[in-house]
Amino acid sequence: MYCQKCGKELPQNSAYCPSCGAKAGGYSSADYWWERRRWERERRPRREWDPMDAAWGAVRAVGFLIIIGLTIVLYPDVFVLLFRYLESWGTYGYPVLPPYALGQVIIFLFTASGVWGLVSSGLRLGLSSRLRRPMRDIVSAVFALYVAYTLSQFYGRTIRGAEFVLAFFVGLAVMVIINALITHYVPRRA
Ligand SMILES: [Zn+2]
């Protein structure tokens, strides 16, 4: 059988033309859709393994592991607090904001992660040719710092629980929108 669009010979049992991607006769649209998706995936250039990318990723991950280790050292009862907190959901019947003691752990964790995220992504943006990834990581780091700040305002009784929840979701939505814009407009590399 030959492709009706480009005239190349089609392999047997193929719902699409490997040369131009056109649908072959006698196949359902669903068959074609799946085959076509596979075809597009195979044609997409493979992302090559970049040792510098791996090195940046490793440095970032080690930093975050150190922060988690530090959190456990500074707040040895964090798992008890966390367990009691999750248990309290059962008592109330719905999720509630964490108590003060657990809140302090979360504020520390988010602040340290946010600062490390800013430092590591800022360095990567300045020192490597990558653009998109570090920019997205900076947005996530700013969000972590924002959550830590608003949570501290909640425990400082400057804002109420409902206001914190609202601020959290507004911040989350802003982060998702900014990241989508970065993905759309910023190239992977400089
Ligand atoms: Zn064709």
Side-chain angles (χ1 to χ4, degrees):
M1 215 165 83
Y2 293 90
C3 175
Q4 288 171 345
K5 199 174 156 198
C6 73
K8 290 251 166 68
E9 191 171 0
L10 296 175
Q12 279 208 328
N13 302 321
S14 179
Y16 66 96
C17 167
S19 316
C20 72
K23 181 173 171 294
Y27 284 89
S28 72
S29 295
D31 278 343
Y32 170 66
W33 191 80
W34 283 109
E35 293 270 321
R36 176 71 194 240
R37 277 179 63 86
R38 194 189 300 154
W39 180 71
E40 280 169 357
R41 210 179 305 135
E42 280 166 4
R43 267 170 56 110
R44 207 175 298 153
R46 280 188 192 284
R47 237 185 274 168
E48 51 198 282
W49 191 75
D50 182 346
M52 276 306 287
D53 273 350
W56 279 110
V59 168
R60 262 175 78 79
V62 167
F64 285 123
L65 284 178
I66 290 172
I67 289 168
I68 291 170
L70 206 61
T71 307
I72 296 168
V73 169
L74 289 172
Y75 303 96
D77 53 351
V78 57
F79 293 110
V80 178
L81 290 171
L82 194 63
F83 181 73
R84 280 209 204 116
Y85 168 58
L86 294 175
E87 220 177 24
S88 76
W89 288 16
T91 313
Y92 289 104
Y94 54 84
V96 289
L97 283 170
Y100 182 82
L102 183 60
Q104 301 313 298
V105 185
I106 296 170
I107 289 170
F108 171 79
L109 194 65
F110 275 59
T111 305
S113 303
V115 169
W116 171 238
L118 277 186
V119 170
S120 59
S121 310
L123 283 173
R124 190 177 185 188
L125 198 58
L127 298 174
S128 81
S129 65
R130 288 276 179 186
L131 279 183
R132 194 188 293 168
R133 173 51 76 77
M135 280 177 77
R136 292 182 59 137
D137 289 342
I138 285 172
V139 174
S140 305
V142 170
F143 179 67
L145 291 174
Y146 168 78
V147 172
Y149 174 74
T150 46
L151 204 54
S152 76
Q153 295 300 297
F154 166 70
Y155 292 110
R157 296 190 184 276
T158 313
I159 58 170
R160 284 171 298 149
E163 288 168 327
F164 167 76
V165 172
L166 180 69
F168 176 86
F169 283 109
V170 169
L172 191 68
V174 169
M175 179 178 74
V176 168
I177 291 167
I178 293 176
N179 272 339
L181 289 175
I182 290 173
T183 303
H184 198 263
Y185 292 107
V186 178
R188 278 183 202 283
R189 286 173 187 277

